[in-house]
Structure formats: C-alpha cells, structure tokens
Amino acid sequence: MYLFGWETLVNNYRFNVSTNGINYNSPKVQEFICKNKKHVSIGITIDGTKRKHDLNRIWKGTNKERGSYDDVVKNIPLWLEQIPNAETKVTISSADIPYIKESVLHLYSLGIHEVNINCVFEDVWKEGDDRLFEEQLMELADAIIDGGYYNDYVCSFFTEHIGKPMDCQMDNQNWCGAGKMLAVDAEGNFYPCMRFAKYSLRSKDALIIGNVRDGIDKNKLRPFLTLDRCTQSTQECIDCEVASGCAWCQGENYDAADTPTIYQRSTAICKMHKARVRANNYYWNKLYRKLEKEGEREAFENNKPKSNAPKC
C-alpha cells in the first residue's frame, strides 16, 4: 500500500509546453508525446491567418526571410487529434490590429475551439490604436454572434466579468502565476516564469531563483509569493471604474520598472483595456438581446462554453 501511494505521488506531475509547432510531427517529438502523454499539456501558438502569423513568426538566417505559417498549419490536424480540447494563444501588437477579426475566425475554421488572445504589455501602442482595436473587436463580436459561434467556440477577449470597479479585499490577487509556475532553461536555471530569462528581457538582468543542482533559493522566491494587485498598482489604477480584468505581465513590470523591482506595475496597456471593455459590453449586450428574443438565454447560460486556460 505504501509503495502504491509513493508511486502515485511521484507520478503526479504535469508539464505545460508552449511550442511554435514547427517540429510537432517529427518522430522524436511524437515519441516524447507518446511516452509522456499523461504528464504533458501542449499548446501550439498559431497567430491566425497566414498574413497575421507571418508578420512576426519568421524564419531567420536564410537568404530570404519567410514566414512560418505553412510549416505550422500542416501540424494542426495531428495536434487536435491528439489533444481534442487544445487551445491556442494569440498575441496582438500595434501592427496586428487590422487582422484580429479574420484571424480568430480563421482559427475557428481550423478546428480550434478556444482562442486565448491578449495585447502585448510592452509600450508599443500608437495614437489611435485603441479606436482601431475597439472597431475590430466589435466586428468580431458581430461575426461570432451572427454566425452562431458563441455556442461552441471561445474567444477570451469577450469575458462577462471584466470592466467593473475593483474591490481591494475581494479582487486583490496577483494577475499571473509568476513565482508559482516554475520555468527552467536549457542550462537548468530556474526562473519565476519564462519572462524573467535573459532572452525575454530588454534591459534588466535575468532573475534566476535557483537551478536543477542546488534547488530553489526561497529568499529570492519570497517576494513573488507576496504579490497582489494593490501593492503594485497606482492609486489611479485602484480607483479605475473598469479596473477588473485589467491584466499585467510580471516580467514586463520588472523589465519596465525604474529600479530592479517587481512591484512597479506597467500601465502601457491601459487604453487598450478600456477599448476592450467597451467592445466587451457591446458583445454581451448584443448576444443577450438575441438570446432573449429567441427564447434561448436560459439554455445558453446553462451550457455556454467556458475557457479552461489559466490567466498566464
């Protein structure tokens, strides 16, 4: 009995793997998946249409740089066959805004039922981006509602419980899992999350909290375990009337801060969050009007698809 319990404990682990999907169908990768299928969750990042995906995800070091869309999309059917409820992660920056609607619908057409999508947290946003962003989201809302996609598909941009005032007692947790979702690099160094590795940072030094030989330095980890919303936010953010659901990246907070601190919240995403809230209100108002008119609201409430993805 003791041995059985010990084996159960030892085998009770899970790795989350994010990949660009280039080599997903290769023999070595497939052998790894087959061997570890009970312990791995794999997400392939495909950013949408070929036009959108190839803006940022390109092959380097060749005579002529080219996008990677064609190399990734051919592996999507195998991925979905092996992981039927798989979801993808899409990132939006200033140049991507015009392609949001078509990209989400394209991902649905590939058989991906859950699209987790967010704006980058870095300070890349230009004048007028929030207006264009809101327009794209409203067009996407129309397409999802008019096309009936809301019954079987999820887009994380549309979430009912955002855009409300924040309660510093009830809604004061840290946004992401930095410090609680260990990341490890090829050299065996541990990070609070992958955004604290040197390759993810612009100006700050990597923040290493241990390694596979010596374990975790709990003194370096301790500040992450005390993070919450109010201790990082300005009073303007705390008092914002649409504060709930306004996200941040702990790594970007660190990278953008004036000093080597993790307690200075980056607010570059502010206007994009407010635009999202406006479009989100439009989506839910339109959807519930339609459902009430058709007498289907109660059925939808009882069966609506829910996102299974973590915040970060």
Side-chain angles (χ1 to χ4, degrees), residues 145-268:
I145 295 170
D146 296 343
Y149 292 104
Y150 55 85
N151 285 310
D152 300 299
Y153 296 84
V154 172
C155 174
S156 63
F157 268 149
F158 302 122
T159 306
E160 284 185 273
H161 307 295
I162 69 167
K164 301 176 177 63
M166 190 194 74
D167 185 328
C168 257
Q169 299 299 318
M170 303 297 293
D171 190 27
N172 196 31
Q173 67 275 13
N174 194 34
W175 179 262
C176 76
K180 299 179 181 179
M181 52 179 190
L182 188 66
V184 59
D185 67 14
E187 296 178 350
N189 293 313
F190 293 152
Y191 304 91
C193 87
M194 62 181 181
R195 281 289 276 109
F196 288 87
K198 186 57 185 176
Y199 58 76
S200 294
L201 298 167
R202 299 183 304 277
S203 56
K204 293 292 197 303
D205 293 330
L207 207 164
I208 298 173
I209 59 170
N211 57 65
V212 295
R213 295 170 294 279
D214 305 317
I216 296 174
D217 185 334
K218 293 183 179 179
N219 284 327
K220 292 182 178 179
L221 181 63
R222 186 173 290 115
F224 289 89
L225 304 182
T226 62
L227 287 166
D228 59 39
R229 181 180 287 266
C230 289
T231 54
Q232 299 180 72
S233 301
T234 64
Q235 195 62 44
E236 181 182 5
C237 289
I238 294 172
D239 294 338
C240 177
E241 62 182 10
V242 293
S244 67
C246 187
W248 62 83
C249 167
Q250 206 65 51
E252 174 58 16
N253 288 0
Y254 169 68
D255 208 10
D258 301 328
T259 62
T261 180
I262 59 172
Y263 285 92
Q264 182 177 323
R265 181 177 170 185
S266 171
T267 58

Side-chain angles (χ1 to χ4, degrees), residues 100 133-141 157-158 275-276 279:
I100 293 174
F133 181 52
E134 183 179 352
E135 290 174 358
Q136 272 290 300
L137 291 189
M138 291 177 71
E139 290 180 15
L140 176 59
F157 268 149
F158 302 122
R276 178 195 172 193

